[in-house]
Amino acid sequence: MPKQVRVKVPASTANLGPGFDVLGLALGIHNTLSLWVGEGECQLAVAGEGVGRVPTDASNLIFQAAFRVFDKLGEPRPVLHGRAENGIPLSSGMGSSAAATVSGLVAANALLGAPLSRQSLLGLACELEGHADNAAAALFGGLTLVAESPAGLHCLQKDVAPMQVAIALPATKLSTREARNALPAQVSHSDAVFNVGKALFVVSALQTADYEMLAWAMQDRLHEPYRLRLMPGTSAARLAALAAGAKAVAISGAGPSLAAFAPSGHSAIANAMHAAFGTAGIQSRTFVLPVDRQGVQISMSL
Ligand code: HSE
């Protein structure tokens, strides 16, 4: 067994408008986890985002994910020690929980000699997360598509044109659970057809950086209309981004962050979203991020 494993996992923006629970895009801001087998109790040292907010004992998501790998392989659970350096804001819609889950799964798998494929790890991530779109992007990088196949979850990774994404993260409290509970149990046939068509064109538009196509394709009827009601200031921030030159704006994952796409002018777009949230009395943080094309990266010390 290697002495210590280090994994670096990207943030992600899921759904991309119409691709609810299917599409994910990895973004260039990362969490890094070092994991090793120690003695005594499980203990995680946390730096960066989430300090004082996430548990540092065995109940931490990272350890729970790591244990899932040991359980799956019929190996006894060891005492794990780790160090997490988090760049991804928590509860943001930027894939922080998927990154934590993926980091635990991948690091544990590496400690055991990597017997599980990334597709298998994606299946475990989906069991833990309840959806696979963020985890797929975190694992594989670039633009990812996930669907059930007879052999389990299947993931396709598509390379995208070099691009940046402007993100605004309002200081609005919104958990993924709350945002999922807001969705109706059933949707109309016409809304489903609307989304299927648009999602296919979003994939093509991102691959070719066709922002004119993205402008009409990145629209959704399955989740955004229901979630916007929980996100004050967000409709105004979206309009401000479009007025500042964004071609398309989507709720990032389950929110509350917004992801804006444009060929240029990302800082101005981010500033416009920030100002619109400010006018609504809501503080926000902004990011201009490249797409991460690599997905999870692993290094080991023996
Ligand atoms: N597809 C998931 C959702 C992503 O929208 O609930 C959560 O980040």
Side-chain angles (χ1 to χ4, degrees):
M1 196 182 267
K3 217 160 135 193
Q4 190 178 116
V5 173
R6 191 166 180 270
V7 295
K8 187 176 171 192
V9 189
S12 50
T13 179
N15 301 329
L16 300 165
F20 180 72
D21 277 3
V22 172
L23 299 181
L25 185 68
L27 298 174
I29 183 170
H30 298 84
N31 285 359
T32 303
L33 170 71
S34 302
L35 192 73
W36 62 96
V37 174
E39 288 175 359
E41 305 284 328
C42 289
Q43 183 69 39
L44 186 72
V46 181
E49 302 286 342
V51 172
R53 284 179 64 194
V54 295
T56 55
D57 63 8
S59 68
N60 186 283
L61 199 51
I62 290 173
F63 290 142
Q64 290 301 312
F67 290 146
R68 187 70 190 81
V69 171
F70 283 88
D71 294 350
K72 169 97 180 162
L73 295 168
E75 295 285 340
R77 293 182 174 193
V79 174
L80 291 172
H81 287 195
R83 190 170 52 250
E85 290 153 48
N86 297 337
I88 310 172
L90 259 58
S91 306
S92 60
M94 295 165 71
S96 69
S97 81
T101 299
V102 164
S103 68
L105 292 170
V106 170
N109 190 45
L111 280 176
L112 289 166
L116 298 178
S117 67
R118 285 194 187 191
Q119 293 281 354
S120 306
L121 294 174
L122 179 62
L124 295 182
C126 187
E127 282 174 26
L128 292 162
E129 285 267 297
H131 50 90
D133 44 3
N134 289 105
L139 273 163
F140 294 94
L143 173 65
T144 48
L145 292 66
V146 283
E148 291 285 350
S149 79
L153 262 185
H154 195 80
C155 177
L156 275 183
Q157 196 256 17
K158 303 273 178 194
D159 205 9
V160 293
M163 62 173 63
Q164 291 191 307
V165 185
I167 305 266
L169 170 59
T172 308
K173 291 254 176 299
L174 180 62
S175 68
T176 299
R177 177 184 302 220
E178 223 180 316
R180 289 183 86 84
N181 285 345
L183 305 182
Q186 295 188 326
V187 295
S188 72
H189 197 268
S190 61
D191 284 355
V193 171
F194 177 96
N195 266 56
V196 171
K198 298 280 191 293
L200 293 170
F201 281 90
V202 163
V203 171
S204 179
L206 289 173
Q207 286 189 276
T208 57
D210 185 338
Y211 288 97
E212 298 311 319
M213 186 190 285
L214 200 63
W216 57 261
M218 194 171 267
Q219 293 185 56
D220 166 77
R221 288 190 185 165
L222 298 187
H223 67 108
E224 294 198 357
Y226 309 99
R227 289 173 163 175
L228 279 172
R229 298 170 196 155
L230 309 174
M231 299 170 58
T234 296
S235 294
R238 169 183 260 161
L239 289 175
L242 293 170
K247 295 295 183 184
V249 186
I251 296 176
S252 185
S257 54
L258 275 180
F261 295 79
S264 59
H266 298 90
S267 297
I269 292 165
N271 290 342
M273 292 192 281
H274 177 77
F277 277 121
T279 302
I282 298 166
Q283 292 187 339
S284 62
R285 295 158 70 186
T286 59
F287 306 81
V288 175
L289 303 173
V291 170
D292 173 293
R293 292 148 176 280
Q294 287 184 282
V296 66
Q297 297 171 61
I298 310 168
S299 55
M300 279 177 270
S301 42
L302 298 171

